[in-house]
Amino acid sequence: MSAQVPAPRTSPHDPLPGGVRGLLADWSSDQRAFKVSWGKAMMWIFLLSDTFVFSCFLTGYMTVRMANTVPWPNPSEVFAIDIGGHPVPLLLIAIMTFTLITSSGTMAMAVNCAYRRDRMNCAKLMFVTAWLGEVFVCMQAYEWTKLIVSEGIRPWGNPLGAAQFGSTFFMITGFHGFHVTCGVIYLLVIASKVLRGHYDISGNYQAVEIAGLYWHFVDLVWVFIFALFYLW
């Protein structure tokens, strides 16, 4: 019986492949160096690009607000809701923040269940996370309706103070709300696959972890929006 001869190891001094193969080798060098899957690597690249976008939006908002000579509306008054005839400052925003932070916890538990191959609990927790995200979007829609109908705030004007308040608020919170909505759809798709046992065939539940990366990013962005828009 003849012994198998192991394939020769690639020396670091060997010439690199050229053409398309060389381009692909260069593109995948970081992915191979950090030993991560393509799905996770692409999600990190997407989140990094999204970080730049949100950073530009929030930096522009801070610049406009500090440079504006017209008084900026008081968040405690603008975002107050009436409870028993008395305005309660930032109550709705506090509930929205609590809802989103709670969803981050349920998503982390879903990823933990995925690591343990607990298919049913993983799917349930992902559905709960998606439901909490939907509740957040509904509360944001209520907030927008109140500002537009009751307060008369528009993207091009604001009777309570600086006109730029409406444009920056609706643009940034709307962009974040769009991310949450896409995340809810994303989680529902992955959770449905988990529930049907789609990932049991390969035994690889990394799709749940990748979805968790996106959801935790959305939650983290809201912390900055909450601090800059509602507490500043």
Side-chain angles (χ1 to χ4, degrees), residues 77-94:
E77 298 175 359
V78 176
F79 300 109
I81 58 175
D82 290 334
I83 303 295
H86 300 283
V88 180
L90 303 177
L91 177 61
L92 179 63
I93 311 305

Side-chain angles (χ1 to χ4, degrees), residues 65-80:
R65 180 165 178 177
M66 289 186 294
N68 209 306
T69 57
V70 181
W72 205 261
N74 186 353
S76 298
E77 298 175 359
V78 176
F79 300 109

Side-chain angles (χ1 to χ4, degrees), residues 126-138:
M126 290 190 73
F127 281 126
V128 171
T129 304
W131 176 74
L132 290 171
E134 186 177 358
V135 170
F136 173 86
V137 173
C138 291

